[in-house]
């Protein structure tokens, strides 16, 4: 008898728990909040990890050196000040890798003049360099660089959540988070480069464009080329989209002209070696010194650079399959009659051609160079889809 009563009580408790879980699973507000907390927790984790254990890499060293150039007079002084700043924060293994990890790193560590010759390719990120200088008196130069990854990552997360909330698509954060992880948001944040700051500014611009606030969006787009001049590709893709989809043309056309002029001016003032020399360095053969490096154009080297970029992208990176997966998702939404607004589809088109244009203009294979485009496409896909987990099958 006692056993029967115990079984009955257990069954009743199990049924009650199942009903409670069922009610929770059908509570839209609760699931929205869970999705938002899940999404934000991921970014808080990666921000905290970056602050505690940042990835000291070669690009970080070059950006710090670029920020210190305005107070040094000789390559030797700049080299010493840069490595002093880096050494104060880097762990022993990181410092050894930066100085001796490969022949290129060792050469830059042992040759101050050649080290300085590399900086024009980094100096052109003028807005990022100036932001480092502004923060340096408060945090120190290395912590300023880390902070300029941490804060933009958190800002980026908040923009995503705000956008999803405005579109009643907060539960889509559960889908968006892994897409952004595949797109390389973790490594972009920990690597301490301008990439997360660019992602923050660009995602803000895309949100404003989706809301048809074109003037404000164009101001952010213009600012973005001071973070990374190669974001001119996104602006050009948006210009082509405005022409193709009948947007108001004047704001984006003026933005493109102003941004292009700014890029030319920044490159000239920063002593950038030019597209072909930079292409050869990054995509064909790395150079220990960029002083007077002006190689003749070579069709063989040109093809080699694209072949290398395509091979490494397909073998070692995730952006090509993610790009195709997002396009497939967009096509499926079209077939299901849930393709979103005309502006959203136009932005998807802009980001799709921008992704291809980014590779076509400079075939670097790393995921981070395509993050702005893929993150925007993933966001738009989720906004169009508006996935809901609080609706029973067949009742959507």
């Amino acid at each position: 008898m006692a056993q029967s009563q115990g079984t009955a009580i257990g069954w009743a408790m199990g049924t009650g728990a199942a009903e409670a879980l069922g009610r929770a699973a059908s509570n839209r507000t609760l699931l929205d909040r869970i999705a938002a907390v899940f999404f934000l927790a991921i970014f808080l984790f990666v921000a905290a990890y970056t602050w505690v254990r940042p990835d000291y890499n070669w690009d970080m060293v070059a950006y710090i050196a670029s920020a210190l150039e305005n107070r040094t007079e000789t390559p030797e002084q700049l080299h010493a000040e840069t490595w002093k700043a880096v050494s104060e924060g880097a762990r022993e293994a990181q410092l050894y890798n930066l100085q001796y990890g490969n022949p290129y790193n060792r050469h830059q560590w042992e040759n101050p003049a050649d080290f300085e010759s590399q900086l024009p390719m980094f100096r052109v990120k003028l807005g990022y360099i100036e932001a480092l200088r502004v923060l340096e008196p408060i945090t120190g130069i290395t912590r300023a660089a880390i902070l300029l990854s941490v804060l933009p990552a958190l800002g980026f997360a908040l923009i995503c959540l705000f956008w999803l909330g405005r579109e009643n698509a907060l539960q889509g954060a559960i889908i968006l988070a892994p897409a952004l992880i595949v797109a390389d948001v973790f490594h972009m944040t920990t690597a301490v480069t301008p990439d997360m700051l660019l992602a923050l500014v660009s995602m803000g611009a895309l949100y404003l464009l989706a809301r048809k606030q074109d003037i404000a969006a164009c101001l952010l787009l213009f600012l973005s080329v001071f973070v990374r001049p190669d974001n001119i590709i996104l602006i050009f893709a948006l210009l082509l989209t405005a022409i193709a989809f009948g947007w108001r043309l004047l704001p984006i056309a003026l933005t493109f002209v102003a941004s292009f002029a700014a890029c030319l001016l920044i490159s000239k003032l920063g002593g950038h070696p030019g597209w072909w020399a930079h292409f050869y360095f990054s995509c064909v053969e790395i150079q220990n010194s960029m002083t007077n490096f002006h190689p003749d154009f070579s069709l063989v080297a040109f093809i080699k650079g694209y072949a290398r970029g395509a091979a490494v992208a397909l073998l070692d990176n995730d952006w090509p399959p993610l790009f195709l997966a997002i396009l497939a998702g967009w096509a499926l939404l079209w077939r299901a009659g849930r393709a979103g607004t005309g502006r959203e589809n136009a932005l998807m088109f802009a980001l799709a051609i921008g992704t291809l244009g980014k590779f076509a203009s400079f075939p670097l294979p790393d995921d981070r160079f395509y993050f702005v485009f893929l993150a925007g496409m993933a966001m738009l896909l989720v906004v169009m889809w508006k996935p809901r987990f609080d609706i029973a099958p067949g009742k959507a």
Side-chain angles (χ1 to χ4, degrees), residues 124-139:
V124 291
K125 283 77 170 184
L126 183 63
Y128 179 71
I129 300 301
E130 288 302 320
L132 288 175
R133 290 170 176 166
V134 168
L135 288 173
E136 182 191 0
I138 304 170
T139 63

Side-chain angles (χ1 to χ4, degrees), residues 10 18 22 28 82 94 117 137 155 189 199 201 220 310 327 352 356 369 379 392-393 396:
R28 177 173 183 174
T82 299
Q94 289 177 321
S117 78
T189 305
V201 176
L220 285 181
L327 290 179
L356 299 175
F369 296 114
M379 170 60 77

Side-chain angles (χ1 to χ4, degrees), residues 79-251:
H79 187 270
E81 290 295 321
T82 299
W83 285 104
K84 178 183 176 183
V86 172
S87 300
E88 289 174 354
R91 298 188 299 277
E92 184 177 350
Q94 289 177 321
L95 192 61
Y96 181 86
N97 184 62
L98 287 172
Q99 295 173 345
Y100 299 104
N102 57 61
Y104 174 80
N105 284 16
R106 180 165 187 162
H107 185 91
Q108 302 311 316
W109 161 241
E110 295 176 346
N111 296 272
D114 289 348
F115 173 77
E116 187 182 46
S117 78
Q118 310 294 304
L119 300 188
M121 296 180 288
F122 299 87
R123 193 186 296 142
V124 291
K125 283 77 170 184
L126 183 63
Y128 179 71
I129 300 301
E130 288 302 320
L132 288 175
R133 290 170 176 166
V134 168
L135 288 173
E136 182 191 0
I138 304 170
T139 63
I141 192 68
T142 55
R143 282 294 174 182
I146 296 166
L147 202 61
L148 282 176
S149 276
V150 169
L151 293 182
L154 295 176
F156 177 86
L158 291 175
I159 288 178
C160 290
L161 287 177
F162 181 76
W163 191 344
L164 292 172
R166 289 293 299 268
E167 296 294 336
N168 295 315
L170 267 176
Q171 291 178 39
I174 297 174
I175 307 296
L176 182 61
L180 295 177
I181 291 171
V182 173
D184 212 30
V185 71
F186 277 10
H187 292 146
M188 279 178 57
T189 305
T190 58
V192 192
T193 63
D195 299 313
M196 277 315 303
L197 183 58
L198 179 66
L200 171 66
V201 176
S202 298
M203 186 61 84
L206 292 174
Y207 169 75
L208 292 170
L209 286 170
R211 307 292 295 184
K212 298 185 179 180
Q213 298 179 32
D214 293 358
I215 302 298
C218 286
L219 288 174
L220 285 181
L221 288 169
F222 177 68
L223 290 176
S224 75
V225 299
F226 290 88
V227 180
R228 282 195 69 103
D230 54 0
N231 211 44
I232 191 71
I233 299 298
L234 172 60
I235 300 172
F236 183 58
L238 289 167
L239 175 61
L240 295 179
T241 300
I243 295 170
F245 286 80
W247 292 0
R248 188 164 51 135
L249 189 58
L250 186 60

Side-chain angles (χ1 to χ4, degrees), residues 349-392:
F349 172 79
L351 293 168
I353 63 172
T355 304
L356 299 175
K358 187 72 174 67
F359 184 83
S361 65
F362 211 97
L364 290 172
D366 306 55
D367 291 320
R368 64 189 178 96
F369 296 114
Y370 306 90
F371 181 84
V372 164
F373 302 96
L374 296 179
M377 292 178 74
M379 170 60 77
L380 288 164
L381 194 68
V382 169
V383 166
M384 293 177 188
W385 180 12
K386 293 180 174 59
R388 294 271 302 278
F389 302 98
D390 57 297
I391 300 177

Side-chain angles (χ1 to χ4, degrees), residues 16-37:
E19 289 177 352
L21 287 173
R23 286 192 298 271
S26 63
N27 186 324
R28 177 173 183 174
T29 301
L30 177 61
L31 290 179
D32 283 357
R33 290 174 179 172
I34 290 173
V37 169

Side-chain angles (χ1 to χ4, degrees), residues 296-336:
D296 294 332
F297 180 80
S298 164
L299 183 59
V300 173
F302 182 75
I303 294 172
K304 180 181 178 181
Y306 278 94
R308 173 194 171 275
V312 176
L314 292 171
L315 292 173
D316 298 331
N317 293 276
D318 297 318
W319 70 265
L322 181 60
F323 177 60
L324 293 177
I326 292 174
L327 290 179
W330 187 25
L332 290 173
L333 286 178
W334 263 102
R335 292 196 60 180

